[in-house]
Amino acid sequence: MSSNMPEEGGKIRITAEDLDRIKLAPTEEPAPGQSRSYGSLDEPSLPVVEGSRGSIFMKAWCYLGLAGLGGSLLAWAICEHWFVDGGRPTWANHILFPLMLILICVGFGTAESVVEHSPRKAVIRGLLSLGLGTVLGFVFYLIANIIFAIGLSILAQSGGLSIHSPALWITRGIAWMGFGLAGGLVYGIVGRSGKKCLYGVAGGALGAGLGGVLFDPIAIATHGAGTSRAVGMALLGAATGIAMGLVESALKDRWIYVAAGPLAGKQFILYKPLTIVGSHQSCDIYLFKDPAVLPRHAIIELRGPRAVLRAVGPVSLQGRPVNEAVLQSGDSIQVGRYAFLYRDRERTAR
């Protein structure tokens, strides 16, 4: 307090005049849909800044690319020893590409759950991906062979059938696009989203087509059948995953960016009408390692063009406690020690 306050017996005495000099700062009225804030004894809100430093492994293009790379190389490692070039085909010749597609699908289906530290969801999605990948792997392998055979026949008649011919490279790329279509379908199905299927198919076809076009040039450069298969398949898997992640990110409409917490750098695209946020592994946005987060802590509901945040547990919006509010692009949200930034592409572009 002020040094003008008199002291009696070593104690500070506050007079009525001292109280009259105290002025309270005016309080701001809450925005529509927000409850009035009366202060909190909790820790202050975390600063929410998009692009804050987070692990690169939280980026969809990165973990999907690694999943595709790992699945394709694992298939190559299993089959390459028994693969025969120019002789009687073995079981490895028949199963190499279907197995690659199966393992890639499993990788795409589980990668996001692994990154989010949700083993329960990873197991469920992995089993579903295994079943879908097995069926689609052989179906799309058959379709790719038919397309490639037709292309080879056309090139043979035109005299363009040569490993050095760009026409052959393009033909292989078109045939291999089916592998990417299958991977994208599985990615969207296990994610239970039609939009995710669409983005996955578009990115998968783009990446697999690129891998197919570059397969023969790689074979020419490496001068070895086994090496060219390893590099070519690795490129196919990685390019498919990377392209899926990039296309999904480029076409997203509304999303939540994690700016602070164990998932910093991760973005959750809002595909579903209801997105559940909480500490249970079944939640769409699973927040782990925070005892302050309830099993179902908050819900983000898409109501036409609006995204509505409904709090079950303590949630701060723009630094203030809130029960329900319409989200605006750029709004900061805090749940426990996790900080998020809501983004809406249409409103952000204005």
Side-chain angles (χ1 to χ4, degrees), residues 220-243:
I220 296 171
T222 55
H223 302 290
T227 303
S228 66
R229 270 191 297 274
V231 177
M233 291 174 65
L235 176 63
L236 168 65
T240 301
I242 291 171

Side-chain angles (χ1 to χ4, degrees), residues 19 21-22 52 71 126 202 219 237:
L19 293 176
R21 287 197 295 266
I22 297 175
S52 60

Side-chain angles (χ1 to χ4, degrees), residues 273-319:
L274 292 178
T275 298
I276 311 299
V277 182
S279 61
H280 194 276
Q281 291 191 42
S282 63
C283 291
D284 302 296
I285 301 179
Y286 167 51
L287 305 182
F288 56 96
K289 294 183 179 179
D290 191 341
V293 179
L294 302 178
R296 288 169 62 94
H297 199 99
I299 299 171
I300 300 174
E301 181 180 357
L302 301 184
R303 300 177 185 172
R306 300 189 305 166
V308 179
L309 173 66
R310 289 193 280 124
V312 179
V315 176
S316 293
L317 179 65
Q318 299 292 83

Side-chain angles (χ1 to χ4, degrees), residues 74-299:
L74 180 57
W76 174 83
I78 292 172
C79 297
E80 182 60 32
H81 181 72
W82 290 274
F83 196 94
V84 175
D85 288 297
R88 185 177 179 180
T90 67
W91 63 268
N93 293 65
H94 296 296
I95 204 175
L96 175 61
F97 281 94
L99 179 62
M100 176 193 69
L101 187 49
I102 291 170
L103 295 178
I104 284 177
C105 287
V106 172
F108 291 158
T110 60
E112 190 168 38
S113 301
V114 171
V115 167
E116 295 170 9
H117 295 256
S118 179
R120 178 180 178 273
K121 195 181 294 184
V123 170
I124 294 173
R125 291 185 172 185
L127 292 174
L128 179 58
S129 301
L130 180 61
L132 291 171
T134 300
V135 174
L136 295 177
F138 286 96
V139 170
F140 277 89
Y141 177 61
L142 177 62
I143 294 174
N145 276 337
I146 293 173
I147 294 174
F148 193 55
I150 294 173
L152 290 181
S153 176
I154 295 173
L155 290 177
Q157 293 176 11
S158 62
L161 186 57
S162 167
I163 192 174
H164 296 279
S165 170
L168 175 62
W169 307 348
I170 294 172
T171 301
R172 189 185 299 278
I174 294 173
W176 281 21
M177 288 175 74
F179 298 147
L181 289 173
L185 277 174
V186 171
Y187 178 62
I189 291 172
V190 299
R192 297 181 296 172
S193 168
K195 273 191 175 182
K196 206 166 191 176
C197 272
L198 180 62
Y199 298 160
V201 163
L206 179 64
L210 176 63
V213 169
L214 296 178
F215 184 84
D216 289 310
I218 289 172
I220 296 171
T222 55
H223 302 290
T227 303
S228 66
R229 270 191 297 274
V231 177
M233 291 174 65
L235 176 63
L236 168 65
T240 301
I242 291 171
M244 285 169 55
L246 292 177
V247 168
E248 183 180 36
S249 181
L251 299 180
K252 64 183 182 292
D253 181 26
R254 288 173 282 191
W255 67 98
I256 296 290
Y257 178 86
V258 186
L263 294 174
K266 178 82 173 71
Q267 66 177 10
F268 292 91
I269 301 175
L270 303 177
Y271 289 113
K272 301 165 61 178
L274 292 178
T275 298
I276 311 299
V277 182
S279 61
H280 194 276
Q281 291 191 42
S282 63
C283 291
D284 302 296
I285 301 179
Y286 167 51
L287 305 182
F288 56 96
K289 294 183 179 179
D290 191 341
V293 179
L294 302 178
R296 288 169 62 94
H297 199 99
I299 299 171

